[in-house]
């Protein structure tokens, strides 16, 4: 039995992804199960069962694990190991003492971090940011948030550093649940793409989006609009262009504030690849000129694909059991 294996858990709104990996990032086993949102107790039990399932699949007992890492959406309390949930995984009576419950069940040291911050650690240790000292990881999903590595370490500020999704970029934009109009995440997230696609259908525009959604505006998702754009649909391509023009504002803010060696784009929207990148390069070229370097050299897609979340949780576990690394 190898006691230096690590187990990572990534809790999402639709699935709980888990893996067992070596400190090198080599994955032994991974699996995911649907997130049980029927009650707080069911959500926690689902997470515990998923952890057990990946250990069974890898034929590893808890004694074979050096540590367990958890990336959880929303706010987490690092000292107590309490989890407060998020709009995606809404807890009815937060907080839930998730770290204590996992340690009680499996008897291994367990560490929890906000999922975007965990993803940042994973990208820095195993992915596109490997070996770099200054990176920003921008998670583009239903919402938008960043994780920041400065001088090789996660930067937290007072605790909310990286919540760039709530920086206002459009005064006349829709009202966000944070109370501000036109936040970056209202204008450039996967949800904003879905909103624009839905509006195009309601306006009766002739678009492939309508056929893919079978005429139902409620059925329009960001993924569906991206699919239409990939097939060359003009309305969908315009939506991607508008989205990218706001995303470019977020990218420019990040570079102005942190000057990272690399900005890594991750999350569901990053899976659009060139459908997102091409209009982004165009918007950046229009909004910012006269740079000595090329955007293509400083902005990249995640290298970890759909494993980024769970590998981030592995990196979190590893970081907490390794001796402090020299700066
Ligand atoms: Zn907001």
């Amino acid at each position: 039995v190898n006691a230096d294996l690590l187990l990572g858990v990534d809790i999402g709104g639709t699935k709980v992804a888990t893996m067992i990996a070596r400190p090198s990032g080599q994955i032994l086993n991974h699996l995911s199960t649907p997130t049980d949102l029927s009650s707080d107790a069911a959500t926690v039990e689902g997470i515990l069962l998923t952890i057990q399932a990946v250990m069974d699949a890898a034929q590893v007992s808890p004694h074979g694990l050096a540590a367990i890492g958890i990336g959880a959406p929303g706010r987490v309390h690092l000292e107590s190991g309490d989890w407060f949930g998020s709009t995606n995984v809404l807890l009815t009576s937060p907080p839930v003492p998730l770290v204590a419950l996992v340690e009680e069940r499996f008897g291994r040291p367990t560490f929890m971090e906000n999922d975007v911050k965990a993803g940042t650690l994973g990208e820095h240790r195993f992915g596109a940011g490997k070996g770099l000292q200054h990176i920003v990881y921008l998670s583009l999903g239903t919402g938008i948030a960043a994780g920041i590595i400065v001088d090789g370490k996660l930067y937290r500020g007072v605790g909310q550093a990286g919540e760039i999704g709530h920086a206002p970029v459009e005064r006349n934009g829709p009202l966000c649940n944070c109370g501000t109009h036109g936040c970056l995440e209202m204008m450039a997230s996967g949800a904003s793409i879905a909103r624009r696609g839905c509006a195009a259908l309601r306006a009766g525009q002739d678009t492939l989006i309508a056929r893919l959604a079978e005429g139902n505006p409620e059925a329009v998702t960001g993924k569906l609009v991206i699919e239409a754009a990939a097939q060359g649909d003009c309305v969908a391509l315009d939506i991607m262009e508008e989205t990218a023009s706001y995303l470019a504002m977020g990218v420019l803010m990040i570079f102005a504030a942190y000057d990272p060696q690399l900005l890594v784009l991750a999350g569901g929207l990053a899976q659009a690849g060139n459908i997102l990148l091409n209009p982004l390069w165009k918007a950046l070229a229009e909004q910012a000129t006269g740079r000595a370097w090329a955007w293509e050299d400083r902005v990249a897609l995640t290298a970890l694909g759909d494993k980024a979340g769970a590998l981030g949780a592995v990196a979190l576990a590893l970081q907490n059991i390794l001796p402090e690394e020299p700066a």
Side-chain angles (χ1 to χ4, degrees):
V1 176
N2 193 343
D4 66 6
L5 297 176
L6 301 144
L7 190 149
V9 186
D10 180 47
I11 305 168
T14 55
K15 64 185 170 74
V16 178
T18 181
M19 69 169 55
I20 292 179
R22 296 190 198 285
S24 63
Q26 186 200 350
I27 300 166
L28 270 65
N29 268 86
H30 65 94
L31 57 83
S32 62
T33 60
T35 309
D36 189 337
L37 298 171
S38 55
S39 69
D40 292 359
T43 303
V44 170
E45 190 57 30
I47 293 165
L48 296 172
L49 288 173
T50 306
I51 293 173
Q52 184 64 55
V54 79
M55 287 197 295
D56 292 346
Q59 295 183 298
V60 170
S61 77
H63 302 292
L65 299 175
I68 296 173
I70 304 170
R75 193 159 69 87
V76 301
H77 193 262
L78 295 178
E79 284 74 32
S80 66
D82 283 347
W83 174 40
F84 293 80
S86 71
T87 45
N88 276 350
V89 186
L90 207 57
L91 298 173
T92 46
S93 41
V96 163
L98 187 58
V99 167
L101 291 166
V102 171
E103 289 189 335
E104 187 184 315
R105 179 75 60 97
F106 300 105
R108 303 310 296 154
T110 301
F111 307 92
M112 180 166 60
E113 180 62 271
N114 162 270
D115 57 353
V116 174
K117 290 193 172 72
T120 307
L121 294 173
E123 202 71 41
H124 184 234
R125 186 171 292 276
F126 303 124
K130 194 172 175 178
L132 301 181
Q133 286 293 298
H134 316 292
I135 70 164
V136 174
Y137 175 90
L138 189 60
S139 174
L140 305 168
T142 311
I144 294 182
I148 302 155
I149 302 257
V150 174
D151 291 332
K153 299 246 181 287
L154 196 63
Y155 176 73
R156 296 178 186 282
V158 174
Q160 300 297 307
E163 291 295 342
I164 192 170
H166 297 289
V169 293
E170 178 58 70
R171 191 195 298 266
N172 299 315
L175 183 65
C176 179
N177 60 19
C178 76
T180 303
H181 281 273
C183 290
L184 181 64
E185 84 170 36
M186 298 303 290
M187 306 308 296
S189 63
S192 80
I193 295 176
R195 187 184 71 233
R196 292 185 184 101
C198 183
L201 250 67
R202 290 192 196 286
Q205 293 196 45
D206 178 24
T207 162
L208 178 60
I209 300 167
R211 291 188 281 286
L212 292 173
E214 294 173 343
N216 177 12
E218 300 302 322
V220 176
T221 59
K223 204 172 172 181
L224 192 147
V225 174
I226 289 163
E227 194 185 322
Q231 294 187 39
D233 180 71
C234 291
V235 172
L237 286 166
D238 283 351
I239 289 173
M240 293 311 293
E241 202 159 299
E242 187 181 345
T243 305
S245 74
Y246 288 107
L247 180 58
M249 295 170 75
V251 169
L252 290 170
M253 281 192 258
I254 288 169
F255 274 88
Y258 296 102
D259 192 25
Q261 289 163 291
L262 191 69
L263 171 65
V264 181
L265 304 177
L269 187 46
Q271 287 172 24
N274 285 332
I275 297 296
L276 177 70
L277 288 181
N278 290 337
L280 179 62
W281 302 142
K282 185 168 171 250
L284 287 167
E286 283 168 7
Q287 293 179 33
T289 52
R291 274 187 166 68
W293 42 269
W295 287 106
E296 288 85 343
D297 294 335
R298 302 276 291 269
V299 180
L301 297 174
T302 172
L304 303 177
D306 60 357
K307 307 278 191 315
L311 268 171
V314 166
L316 169 71
L318 185 60
Q319 169 168 309
N320 278 282
I321 57 165
L322 284 179
E324 190 80 359
E325 289 164 87

